[in-house]
Amino acid sequence: QITLRNCLQDVFEDGPKRDQRLWLGDLRLQALLAYQVCDATDLVRRCLYLHAACIDAEGMVPPCVFMHPEPNFSATPIPDYAALFGATLADYVVATGDRATGHELLSLAVHQCDLMARHCDAEGVWRDPGGQWLFIEAAEHATQAYACGRVAELARELGEEAVAARLLKRKGDLLAAADARLYDAERGLYRSGPGGQLSVASQVWMVLAGARVGAAAAALLRRVLDDPAALRPGCPYLQHHLVEALLSSGCVREARDEIERVWGGMLDRGADTFWEVFDPADAHRSPYRSHLFNSYCHAWSCTPAWFIRHPQYGPLLAAADGETR
């Protein structure tokens, strides 16, 4: 909660130290906890409209918004952040019941899904178009499917059945393409890019998108976590999604262990707010060439409090072996 509150300023900042901008990925996770612990729904709505006001010439939502001298953006597009605008909006409508905002911004959320669809190849696999800030292709592909599903849920809630049906078909097509083109049946994992990279991120987003559910999802996640060649998360943004995927797949013990390993590891090192980057095996890890530039109060790292308070996940975590940290 302290991490969240320190980032609640004129907008949901991603951190009060190094980068005081409104980032969409951070906003999405901050908002989940804010709905539980503080009256910040008006601020979430404000941030959604700020992103909507700063779209580029194609109508893509920017990954971040600068507030001074006036709201503007000047960042390289991040396709998964743009796609997740709709998920952030869907969470907001569910939490607040503000259907008017949902109706007003639904078309923009749908447009993000449509923009992403342009970059699927002839076999239906999402490919890097260049000129964007891209992490891992298979994870991006799965994020598009996840976003289509979430925006379809919102459209259905708002009575837009035709829109929902169109997006659900696209989600199904994306998941079918992933199984046909990205899944390595011998390894039992999804691979990414020309080199066939294995990563936790790809499997996590495939599970969240619904490519695997139940026992099959649990087996997929356990395989990748046991694979020493798989790239692991380096920051609590992906670690949040790993925990969520584990919980949704019934891997409660593993989810609890991940929370204790990452966020508990920060507490063991004296943290009083949670950090932007944390690798228990490398205390100096940083994307900035020096850990001195890392943010040590960072928005996307606040979500253990959300898991603990979640009506479904909280009791499961508590029952896993006593109280959560």
Side-chain angles (χ1 to χ4, degrees), residues 4-258:
L4 173 67
R5 291 183 184 278
N6 284 358
C7 296
L8 285 175
Q9 305 296 333
D10 188 38
V11 294
F12 282 85
E13 294 180 351
D14 80 333
K17 173 195 172 186
R18 179 183 50 76
D19 192 348
Q20 299 170 351
R21 283 177 279 175
L22 166 62
W23 284 88
L24 183 52
D26 299 74
L27 167 65
R28 177 170 169 261
L29 298 188
Q30 285 172 291
L32 290 174
L33 182 56
Y35 300 137
Q36 294 178 335
V37 302
C38 61
D39 183 16
T41 55
D42 285 347
L43 188 58
V44 178
R45 182 174 181 271
R46 165 178 160 80
C47 291
L48 286 167
Y49 276 102
L50 282 166
H51 277 284
C54 292
I55 57 176
D56 66 14
E58 292 188 318
M60 180 178 281
V61 174
C64 71
V65 176
F66 296 90
M67 295 307 297
H68 302 287
E70 60 185 23
N72 68 94
F73 73 97
S74 61
T76 303
I78 301 179
D80 52 303
Y81 275 26
L84 292 172
F85 176 82
T88 311
L89 176 62
D91 291 335
Y92 169 81
V93 173
V94 169
T96 66
D98 181 0
R99 295 169 64 87
T101 296
H103 277 291
E104 190 164 23
L105 296 179
L106 175 63
S107 61
L108 182 59
V110 173
H111 185 57
Q112 306 312 300
C113 297
D114 291 341
L115 286 172
M116 298 304 108
R118 299 178 310 164
H119 303 306
C120 289
D121 65 17
E123 296 174 317
V125 177
W126 192 89
R127 298 299 186 187
D128 180 9
Q132 299 186 351
W133 192 353
L134 181 69
F135 294 96
I136 301 171
E137 280 192 341
E140 296 285 355
H141 180 100
T143 303
Q144 308 311 319
Y146 172 83
C148 286
R150 294 298 315 279
V151 178
E153 292 171 7
L154 175 61
R156 181 163 288 166
E157 172 66 22
L158 297 175
E160 299 288 345
E161 291 291 341
V163 173
R166 179 167 68 85
L167 290 173
L168 287 175
K169 181 183 184 306
R170 183 177 298 159
K171 174 184 174 178
D173 291 345
L174 286 164
L175 295 182
D179 279 343
R181 302 297 302 164
L182 301 177
Y183 187 68
D184 180 342
E186 182 177 348
R187 201 73 170 262
L189 295 169
Y190 291 91
R191 289 187 175 273
S192 181
Q197 185 187 79
L198 290 174
S199 74
V200 172
S202 296
Q203 320 314 314
V204 163
W205 279 107
M206 289 293 177
V207 168
L208 294 176
R212 294 289 185 276
V213 297
L220 183 77
L221 293 171
R222 286 172 175 145
R223 275 195 296 274
V224 75
L225 291 174
D226 288 341
D227 193 325
L231 294 178
R232 297 185 65 90
C235 70
Y237 179 79
L238 181 54
Q239 285 153 337
H240 162 93
H241 293 97
L242 171 57
V243 171
E244 186 174 356
L246 287 166
L247 287 170
S248 71
S249 305
C251 302
V252 179
R253 180 68 257 179
E254 291 93 332
R256 179 186 162 91
D257 288 347
E258 188 69 11

Side-chain angles (χ1 to χ4, degrees), residues 256-294:
R256 179 186 162 91
D257 288 347
E258 188 69 11
I259 291 173
E260 292 191 343
R261 185 182 73 86
V262 176
W263 288 273
M266 286 186 259
L267 293 177
D268 289 342
R269 288 161 174 79
D272 52 12
T273 55
F274 290 127
W275 308 338
E276 174 187 17
V277 181
F278 179 63
D279 180 351
D282 181 4
H284 289 164
R285 184 167 182 168
S286 173
Y288 311 112
R289 302 180 184 175
S290 170
H291 68 281
L292 298 176
F293 293 102
N294 291 355

